[in-house]
Amino acid sequence: MSAPVTGRALPVILFSHGHGSSMDGYAPLVDFWSARGFVVVQPTYLDARRLGLHENDTRRPSIWRTRIADAKRVIDELDQVLKPVPGLRERIDPTRIAAVGHSFGGQTTSMLLGARMIAGDEDEDFADRRVKAGILLASGGRGGDDLSDLGRRITPYLDTSFDGMTTPALIVAGDADRSPLTVRGPDWFQDPFHLSPGPKALLTLRGGEHMLGGISGYEVTETTDENADRVRLIQEATLAYLRNELNGDRAGWTEIATRLSNGAEATIETKQASC
């Protein structure tokens, strides 16, 4: 957990890490947000490498479901989660909660926003109305025929319907993010925007790969597209979006959209809720 030293009525971000990561990842984003007025809570999920879950563990096929339950429990017990920091519980605004996730964490987040898993006999509603906005970072698209052989083998549960993902969200995708889980190209990561109802925004990063320039840590070897400017843009854009949705501060988001209008570093597309 990371939090500002001062301030009251602070909004809260529930951050879900990608597959294999943990609560200690994504410092370039977490530090940036917390230094600018947000409390960031980062659960460590069952698939974290540090937990050493065996690849044949019977819980693996349902990890996506366990993640959702853990995320909801964090919100349920937010008072207890914040208790180790004296006075922090009294300094948050529990009515302003956002959910953010990268990769598998984006899939977890999408369920809290109203997406549904339609593989097999699932199709349950996991939406949490306490979450007022979301950000999906390099989060996968629909499954079924769009999955590769590898995707069907290791992530058969990835068959997501975005029809019910009605909570406002920013989808961040790299136009060079080619996943072995799908037979499609980088446009697969834009599905959460195109296949869900508004209000939504899509930030597409020029040259961005799956780690989006290096958001998963300051010194990590998993980033194949290391780019400090790209990380800085994501920091600024996500902060502006969160302030827009949770604080009603439109200026920053408007400035980002204007700045990216030439499409050199990235593009922003938006759509409103249907009447």
Side-chain angles (χ1 to χ4, degrees):
M1 170 176 44
S2 302
V5 175
T6 61
R8 303 194 66 83
L10 302 170
V12 177
I13 299 171
L14 170 63
F15 188 91
S16 294
H17 63 74
H19 178 76
S21 188
S22 71
M23 62 181 288
D24 294 325
Y26 301 92
L29 295 181
V30 173
D31 292 350
F32 188 83
W33 295 329
S34 62
R36 289 159 179 79
F38 290 82
V39 174
V40 187
V41 180
Q42 298 169 264
T44 292
Y45 294 111
L46 188 60
D47 57 276
R49 284 185 292 271
R50 66 168 52 173
L51 300 183
L53 189 69
H54 194 277
E55 63 180 26
N56 294 325
D57 192 291
T58 57
R59 291 172 290 180
R60 278 204 175 274
S62 59
I63 278 181
W64 68 271
R65 182 186 290 273
T66 305
R67 276 172 156 261
I68 298 167
D70 288 347
K72 286 176 172 283
R73 186 175 181 184
V74 168
I75 300 175
D76 290 342
E77 302 184 14
L78 194 55
D79 274 0
Q80 291 302 310
V81 171
L82 303 179
K83 189 175 181 180
V85 181
L88 186 56
R89 290 182 297 177
E90 293 73 36
R91 294 171 50 220
I92 69 159
D93 181 352
T95 69
R96 292 190 292 152
I97 297 176
V100 183
H102 173 248
S103 194
F104 195 13
Q107 192 275 331
T108 302
T109 300
S110 73
M111 297 289 138
L112 300 177
L113 305 182
R116 296 194 180 198
M117 198 72 75
I118 58 176
D121 297 322
E122 303 294 346
D123 197 20
E124 295 179 48
D125 185 1
F126 296 100
D128 194 316
R129 301 308 173 193
R130 294 171 294 183
V131 176
K132 304 305 181 185
I135 299 177
L136 309 184
L137 301 159
S139 183
R142 61 188 177 190
D145 292 340
D146 288 349
L147 293 180
S148 64
D149 290 341
L150 177 65
R152 283 191 290 271
R153 186 167 71 253
I154 68 174
T155 55
Y157 48 79
L158 280 182
D159 198 359
T160 308
S161 169
F162 299 100
D163 293 348
M165 198 173 80
T166 57
T167 303
L170 168 65
I171 290 80
V172 180
D175 70 0
D177 188 355
R178 300 187 180 278
S179 172
L181 300 180
T182 180
V183 295
R184 290 168 53 194
D187 66 303
W188 188 58
F189 293 96
Q190 297 179 353
D191 279 0
F193 173 78
H194 292 297
L195 302 181
S196 67
K200 296 290 183 297
L202 172 64
L203 173 63
T204 305
L205 299 156
R206 303 293 189 200
E209 298 181 13
H210 200 59
M211 294 302 166
L212 302 174
I215 63 170
S216 62
Y218 292 119
E219 297 180 6
V220 293
T221 59
E222 60 195 5
T223 300
T224 56
D225 65 327
E226 185 174 355
N227 187 308
D229 290 337
R230 185 171 298 133
V231 173
R232 190 174 302 110
L233 174 57
I234 293 171
Q235 290 171 331
E236 294 171 353
T238 54
L239 177 68
Y241 185 80
L242 291 166
R243 285 176 168 171
N244 181 68
E245 294 297 330
L246 297 183
N247 301 354
D249 180 358
R250 316 293 183 205
W253 183 242
T254 300
E255 188 277 329
I256 287 284
T258 301
R259 175 176 137 199
L260 299 180
S261 60
N262 63 9
E265 354 172 37
T267 60
I268 287 182
E269 184 178 347
T270 61
K271 63 180 179 181
Q272 302 304 313
S274 300
C275 298

